[in-house]
Amino acid sequence: MDISSSSSFHQAHKVSLLRRQPSSPVNSVSVIGFSLPQITSPSLDKCRRKGSSFGVVRACVAVEEKTRTAIIRIGTRGSPLALAQAYETRAKLQAKHQELTEEGAIHIEIIKTTGDKILSQPLADIGGKGLFTKEIDEALINGHIDIAVHSMKDVPTYLPENTILPCNLVREDVRDAFICLTAASLAELPAGSIVGTASLRRKSQILHKYPSLAVEENFRGNVQTRLSKLQGGKVHATLLALAGLKRLSMTENVASVLSLDEMLPAVAQGAIGIACRTDDDKMASYLASLNHEETRLAVACERAFLETLDGSCRTPIAGYAAKDEEGNCYFRGLVASPDGTRVLETSRKGPYVFEDMVKMGKDAGQELLSRAGPGFFGN
């Protein structure tokens, strides 16, 4: 399928909505933050009483040993997309470093975050910043993991003390994908159609351009969950980051891809960031071998814009920086009222150099703050 062009869904696509899961094998995986069932049996109880090392007990010991002896312990959320990103990180590390290809050299630690645990409320109502990173950051600081793999758009503009984020992998497509069983684009949806999204950025831009549509704004869950809700008729359409669908090999679900003029992406959308402790030179060296500098600079520009606006989940903000044909940085930024009645945009162009790009992001943010005026965003 050519995902850069519009095409309607056929009924046969329904069966493909939920079928894809990351298929990469995991040599060593454990879980933090989940309540796991207790395994009990007479033989296991006997095994425990005798101090035997076979069966489940032996398996548990093996996992613990593997975790302790791993060269790199990767911390990640447990969603299929988060795991796909952790697998990608592992594969890139193994491609660069022979010693990491040994069995058990890289251990993946699944950590359940606040954002994963509370799904019944909009993100803005449960705190916004750090909902998908806090517990992973704590595991990193406490030494339970060595590196943390994040979707950069989930990372607050501040980093926890004693951590750094020196690495961004090559950025995926930043655009949003339109997913619907009955229409090929937002423009084709009949008046009154309901679009599901948990993003105020998407909501405000949808309502600004298509005021006849309605938005269900607590449309939360991982990609598979949201596609299931769509298939079940809870909404008529939804928008998802194209980058995530590509990483999950689920682009067959895309009806069309929205242009940057129709939907400016979230700050750092499509970028994976990898953090480590400030004093861990070994991990910093590993991450330096993976860093894609063009992506890192673009993300830094966008995050400077977001930080200047003090953006939260209650603030519709979009921003995108990229290298143009002349090798310069071109940045576009947007802020909106949550109902989409007001949208303010600006742009900047300058050298593709870290200091210049951070300055551009900050300057664009200051301009929109001034134009928006007090009380523009509300609470």
Side-chain angles (χ1 to χ4, degrees):
M1 171 181 174
D2 179 6
I3 59 171
S4 64
S5 61
S6 298
S7 62
S8 335
F9 263 151
H10 296 297
Q11 194 69 14
H13 280 149
K14 289 186 179 182
V15 298
S16 70
L17 286 173
L18 304 175
R19 78 180 183 195
R20 302 292 181 111
Q21 298 282 341
S23 56
S24 303
V26 182
N27 294 330
S28 178
V29 178
S30 57
V31 183
I32 301 175
F34 290 89
S35 296
L36 298 178
Q38 293 295 313
I39 304 172
T40 59
S41 71
S43 60
L44 179 56
D45 291 338
K46 183 178 180 181
C47 167
R48 285 174 176 143
R49 286 195 298 272
K50 290 186 176 182
S52 174
S53 61
F54 63 81
V56 176
V57 174
R58 183 173 182 176
C60 292
V61 171
V63 169
E64 290 173 2
E65 288 296 330
K66 194 171 289 187
T67 303
R68 283 198 295 267
T69 59
I71 298 173
I72 300 179
R73 297 164 298 170
I74 299 175
T76 177
R77 295 169 60 203
S79 72
L81 177 56
L83 287 172
Q85 295 177 165
Y87 299 156
E88 180 179 343
T89 300
R90 182 184 63 184
K92 289 180 180 296
L93 283 166
Q94 290 175 333
K96 292 275 189 178
H97 304 279
Q98 181 63 33
E99 71 274 19
L100 299 179
T101 62
E102 298 295 326
E103 183 179 358
I106 298 179
H107 171 75
I108 294 178
E109 193 81 60
I110 298 172
I111 301 169
K112 197 162 190 180
T113 68
T114 302
D116 298 312
K117 295 173 185 175
I118 305 174
L119 296 175
S120 59
Q121 298 170 261
L123 293 173
D125 293 346
I126 55 176
K129 292 182 180 181
L131 287 172
F132 295 107
T133 60
K134 180 176 179 289
E135 287 81 1
I136 300 175
D137 290 335
E138 289 172 350
L140 180 62
I141 293 167
N142 295 335
H144 194 82
I145 58 174
D146 301 304
I147 63 174
V149 178
H150 298 297
S151 293
M152 279 303 302
K153 69 177 182 178
D154 292 337
V155 178
T157 52
Y158 57 86
L159 295 177
E161 193 173 354
N162 301 321
T163 70
I164 53 173
L165 208 162
C167 174
N168 289 122
L169 302 185
V170 177
R171 195 174 199 174
E172 249 298 356
D173 197 315
V174 303
R175 295 173 296 171
D176 282 316
F178 175 75
I179 302 177
C180 180
L181 301 174
T182 58
S185 66
L186 283 166
E188 290 185 16
L189 286 174
S193 295
I194 301 171
V195 181
T197 178
S199 163
L200 285 183
R201 170 190 65 86
R202 290 180 178 131
K203 175 188 174 182
S204 62
Q205 291 185 75
I206 290 169
L207 294 179
H208 181 69
K209 294 179 174 69
Y210 306 100
S212 66
L213 299 179
V215 174
E216 165 54 56
E217 62 182 65
N218 191 30
F219 196 71
R220 296 189 52 212
N222 62 36
V223 171
Q224 286 79 359
T225 298
R226 282 182 274 179
L227 292 177
S228 179
K229 289 179 180 180
L230 171 64
Q231 186 181 10
K234 294 186 182 297
V235 295
H236 298 103
T238 189
L239 302 183
L240 294 171
L242 181 58
L245 295 171
K246 283 188 170 186
R247 289 183 176 124
L248 290 168
S249 299
M250 294 177 69
T251 54
E252 73 272 20
N253 296 306
V254 176
S256 61
V257 178
L258 280 66
S259 71
L260 297 181
D261 290 328
E262 188 172 11
M263 182 66 61
L264 200 62
V267 163
Q269 183 156 303
I272 295 172
I274 311 175
C276 65
R277 288 181 294 278
T278 307
D279 60 356
D280 195 336
D281 294 339
K282 182 179 180 180
M283 291 303 127
S285 177
Y286 278 129
L287 297 186
S289 71
L290 300 191
N291 180 56
H292 186 249
E293 190 66 1
E294 182 177 325
T295 297
R296 190 181 75 88
L297 267 57
V299 168
C301 177
E302 296 166 22
R303 282 167 60 82
F305 173 72
L306 182 64
E307 182 178 23
T308 302
L309 291 166
D310 191 28
S312 72
C313 282
R314 292 189 181 276
T315 311
I317 297 172
Y320 177 52
K323 186 176 286 187
D324 65 15
E325 295 178 354
E326 301 169 347
N328 291 314
C329 173
Y330 181 68
F331 172 77
R332 292 177 59 189
L334 172 154
V335 296
S337 58
D339 62 4
T341 55
R342 287 188 68 194
V343 173
L344 304 176
E345 298 185 60
T346 189
S347 64
R348 295 289 187 278
K349 186 174 181 178
Y352 210 96
V353 177
F354 180 82
E355 292 79 7
D356 296 88
M357 292 168 69
V358 169
K359 185 177 179 181
M360 276 192 281
K362 290 181 177 178
D363 187 61
Q366 289 289 352
E367 179 198 330
L368 293 187
L369 275 178
S370 177
R371 285 170 57 189
F376 176 78
F377 301 112
N379 279 311

